[in-house]
Amino acid sequence: MRVLVTGGAGYIGSHTVVQLVAAGHDVVVVDSFANSKPTVVPRLEALIGGPLEVHAFDLTDRDKTESLFAERQFDAVIHFAGLKAVGESVEVPLEYYQNNLDSTFALVRAMQRHGCFRLVFSSSATVYGDNAPVPYQEDYEPLSAASPYGRSKVMIEQVLRDVASAGGQWRIAVLRYFNPVGAHPSGTIGEDPQGTPNNLMPFIAQVAVGAREELYVFGDDYPTPDGTAQRDYIHVEDLAAGHVAALHRIAHQEPGLRAWNLGTGHGTSVLEMIRAFEHASGRTVPYTVVGRRAGDLAAYWADATRAHEELGWSATRTVDDMCADTWRWQSSNPEGYPD
Ligand code: NAD
Ligand code: WQD
């Protein structure tokens, strides 16, 4: 298939590009580089062993999005492009709603106009809100989220559901990621947060490499075995494989929309993650326990049964693999991608 990957220069998109090419797909990337750097492109080309077609523009520009579809024929789109920082979305909600919703509108309209009806969308476990029973199951309703970022995902899921329900040929896979971590085993591509990392794993990695002094552990008084919060960390390589599987599935499924969790089905605590990273890196990760972070939940993980049964996909990589691969990326690229 010829697959358009939006946000293909970003963390999850870049890893997925490599696996799509390995699976025999013809890949085209569009990315505004709002949260990524063009220097990822030659590294991707080295991994895929050839040139990668990259279009640098913002998908919210409807004319440019339309022109791309007018020029090129795509069999499917994987839509990663979006802003994703939960805290920032509280400060600048309009930017988040506008970027995430308008890019999706421009994309889906252009797809519809040009007869491309297969879409894989990047959603998040955050759409389960505060009250869903753990493990999270795909049929849970009502979806809700505690931040503008999360609500943009809830809204887009709803829009896509309505589009698919209106009839026609739409085949849409909504993939709800849990906590993506890790890097390509080559150590040449990985997660490169701009500024202070919001997420646990890149923060731990920066402390281990000496770029930051210590980690703040947000709360050790949760009702969990060691008191720190538990999450379902999933290796980005497993996540990428989930997209290849979803693409295969929607090539054959009946028209409509279906959601799948992409998680391991297991929770790991913050302290367990620190210990696993120390083991993988051979470095000490100094930390101080501070108060809980506003909005954090105590513990959640995926029910990953549906993806296993319907996509033939399961996560195979362990927390030790996640830490070892993150460390390889971080230690060989202590400052991330060059400018
Ligand atoms: P990322 O920021 O590394 O990648 C997103 C890419 O999209 C970036 O390269 C950015 O430049 C690009 N982009 C943003 N807005 C754009 C626009 N309007 N037009 C064109 N390009 C644009 O993020 P990621 O971690 O790779 O996440 C990919 C997707 O997965 C996002 O939609 C995110 O919300 C979702 N997701 C991420 C996580 C996570 O923890 N990383 C968890 C659940 C869901
Ligand atoms: C994990 C755990 C923190 C940093 C977020 C988004 C979610 C999804 C994935 C996009 C929590 C603790 C963290 C630190 C810490 N993204 N922590 N010190 O919050 O589970 O999920 O990313 O869709 O929507 O909310 O991930 O990595 O920020 O935190 O103690 O410096 O680590 O409290 O328990 P989270 P995270």
Side-chain angles (χ1 to χ4, degrees), residues 8 15 27 53 64 76 95 100 115 132 136 150 177 208 229 240 247 249 257 265 276 281 286 290 296:
H15 290 78
V27 174
E53 183 179 332
K64 287 189 178 152
E95 301 239 353
N100 293 358
Y136 290 168
Y177 316 153
L247 201 58
R249 156 87 193 207
L257 176 146
S281 64
V290 297
D296 272 351

Side-chain angles (χ1 to χ4, degrees), residues 12 83-87 122-127 147 149-150 153 177-181 197-204 214-219 222 228-233 268-270 273-274 288 290-293 295-300:
I12 305 168
L83 299 176
K84 64 162 182 178
V86 172
S122 298
S123 189
S124 165
T126 196
V127 303
S147 70
Y149 161 71
K153 294 292 181 190
Y177 316 153
F178 281 67
N179 286 60
V181 298
N198 302 301
N199 296 109
L200 178 66
M201 187 64 131
F203 207 110
I204 291 180
E214 62 172 344
L215 171 77
Y216 299 107
V217 173
F218 299 142
Y222 285 105
T228 64
Q230 295 170 306
R231 295 289 182 271
D232 187 341
Y233 297 96
T268 302
S269 75
V270 177
M273 211 63 185
I274 294 171
T288 302
V290 297
R292 293 181 180 191
R293 184 171 65 179
D296 272 351
L297 298 179
Y300 62 82

Side-chain angles (χ1 to χ4, degrees), residues 11-12 31-32 34-36 58-59 80 84 99 149 153 177:
Y11 173 44
I12 305 168
D31 201 300
S32 64
N35 195 40
S36 51
D58 190 320
L59 284 162
F80 292 103
K84 64 162 182 178
N99 187 73
Y149 161 71
K153 294 292 181 190
Y177 316 153

